[in-house]
Amino acid sequence: MRPVAIVNPRAAGGKTARAWKEIAATLGPVETRYTEAPNHAATLVREAIGGGARRIIAVGGDGTVNEIANGLIEDGRPFDPRVSLAVMPFGTGGDYRKSLGIRDVESAVRLIREDAPALPTDAGRIVYRSHEGTTESRYFVNVVSFGMGGEVAAGARNWFSRFGGKAGFFYSTLRAFFSYQAQTVELTVDGERAPLRPAMNIAVGIGRYHGGGMHVCPRARLDDGLLEITKIRQLPFWELLRDIHVLYSDNIYAHKKVRHFRGKSIRASASGRVAIEVDGEPLGCLPVEIDVLPGVLSVVRLAGPR
């Protein structure tokens, strides 16, 4: 059966639907289905697989990819191991595609046209407290963060249309900095408790980038079966302004206020409310339980460390 493209028509400020029609015409036979509501993409994935689809093309931003991944995984295993995922990056942040080695839409088109192989790729599962206070679970493909990152994700949406992805995240980061108070988070990695110190943000990555290009987990790999954890302690404003460029480089671990860990399983809690974001979406708050799912996805991407 021909590939099925699942398109978020609202991505990239509503420009995605028209742009996709032009791109699809260059790819050969492709069936297109459009999302109509939040989390609709996961339902469309299951319907496509039920109809015999063996490749799903995610057309949208990181949120669209996340929803599709939640349709491709069930009970921590591939819903159908014969099905692969390709990413056509539109949308606001576009962080996951950077770890896949996809520079832009044109490079994604080349990978699909050249029938690039789909490689085993890790994902993660997070159990968290929703905004309504219920315990929920979700799969993720890129980065979970809690602390200021959760506040930034919630506020950034207000600035996307005005400034675009990277600039919108950057502006939201500066605004959140003035209002966010560092919280003491009890963090356990593979059963070992990390030192208790107030943290401005903690990122847990399978991919390397989040927040519109911040290189927050530079040693993360998509296929090593591990989570990369980056903990940033409280920074005074002058230090943030001086060192903000470090967040966009691959040298973040050289900063004296940054610590990093690696592991397969993470538990985090706090006495106060600490917001979380999952692949760029603000979903709730601590406590969380996060576990890696090695090789659970089959994703079209460049080989090697990403």
Side-chain angles (χ1 to χ4, degrees):
M1 181 180 175
R2 58 187 178 178
V4 173
I6 296 178
V7 181
N8 176 4
R10 292 167 296 281
K15 300 176 183 177
T16 300
R18 182 173 60 184
W20 169 246
K21 289 180 181 179
E22 297 175 359
I23 293 169
T26 71
L27 294 178
V30 178
E31 180 180 342
T32 299
R33 303 184 184 186
Y34 294 95
T35 61
E36 299 175 356
N39 298 313
H40 187 207
T43 301
L44 293 177
V45 167
R46 297 294 174 88
E47 292 175 353
I49 294 174
R54 294 294 176 263
R55 173 159 292 180
I56 304 295
I57 303 174
V59 185
D62 290 344
T64 303
V65 177
N66 176 279
E67 289 190 17
I68 289 173
N70 276 269
L72 292 171
I73 305 171
E74 184 176 60
D75 296 329
R77 297 185 294 273
F79 180 75
D80 187 331
R82 298 170 296 178
V83 178
S84 63
L85 170 66
V87 174
M88 186 65 62
F90 289 88
T92 305
D95 290 307
Y96 186 55
R97 56 98 177 164
K98 297 183 183 74
S99 290
L100 297 178
I102 298 173
R103 295 188 304 276
D104 48 31
V105 171
E106 288 73 21
S107 61
V109 168
R110 283 196 297 272
L111 284 175
I112 295 173
R113 280 180 179 169
E114 295 168 4
D115 198 26
L119 304 175
T121 303
D122 299 344
R125 175 169 46 202
I126 178 172
V127 179
Y128 62 95
R129 181 179 297 160
S130 72
H131 294 299
E132 293 74 30
T134 58
T135 299
E136 305 290 343
S137 66
R138 192 167 185 84
Y139 301 108
F140 68 97
V141 297
N142 188 41
V143 172
V144 169
S145 73
F146 35 95
M148 199 175 84
E151 303 294 342
V152 169
R157 295 180 176 184
N158 299 326
W159 305 102
F160 288 163
S161 60
R162 184 179 302 180
F163 297 113
K166 185 173 181 178
F169 275 113
F170 180 79
Y171 188 75
S172 183
T173 298
L174 290 180
R175 284 179 59 89
F177 182 85
F178 286 107
S179 60
Y180 187 75
Q181 296 294 319
Q183 301 285 327
T184 298
V185 174
E186 185 170 324
L187 182 68
T188 302
V189 180
D190 289 345
E192 295 189 11
R193 188 174 176 180
L196 277 176
R197 285 190 176 181
M200 186 172 73
N201 194 63
I202 297 174
V204 180
I206 291 170
R208 295 183 172 191
Y209 305 87
H210 87 146
M214 293 183 181
H215 208 167
V216 71
C217 294
R219 297 182 188 174
R221 293 180 58 117
L222 296 171
D223 56 3
D224 64 355
L226 292 171
L227 301 165
E228 189 81 10
I229 305 104
T230 301
K231 180 178 181 180
I232 304 175
R233 291 164 51 195
Q234 184 69 51
L235 298 172
F237 182 64
W238 66 266
E239 194 170 0
L240 176 68
L241 288 180
R242 185 193 68 188
D243 298 339
I244 190 70
H245 67 281
V246 176
L247 293 177
Y248 291 91
S249 74
D250 61 358
N251 200 35
I252 187 172
Y253 294 152
H255 197 284
K256 64 181 180 180
K257 296 288 183 67
V258 174
R259 296 291 182 270
H260 75 99
F261 315 88
R262 307 192 84 199
K264 298 179 179 180
S265 180
I266 296 165
R267 304 293 182 263
S269 61
S271 57
R273 183 186 181 279
V274 176
I276 68 168
E277 60 90 4
V278 180
D279 287 345
E281 299 296 319
L283 294 184
C285 59
L286 297 184
V288 297
E289 300 176 3
I290 304 174
D291 297 284
V292 68
L293 303 173
V296 72
L297 293 173
S298 181
V299 182
V300 175
R301 59 181 175 87
L302 297 182
R306 294 287 165 192

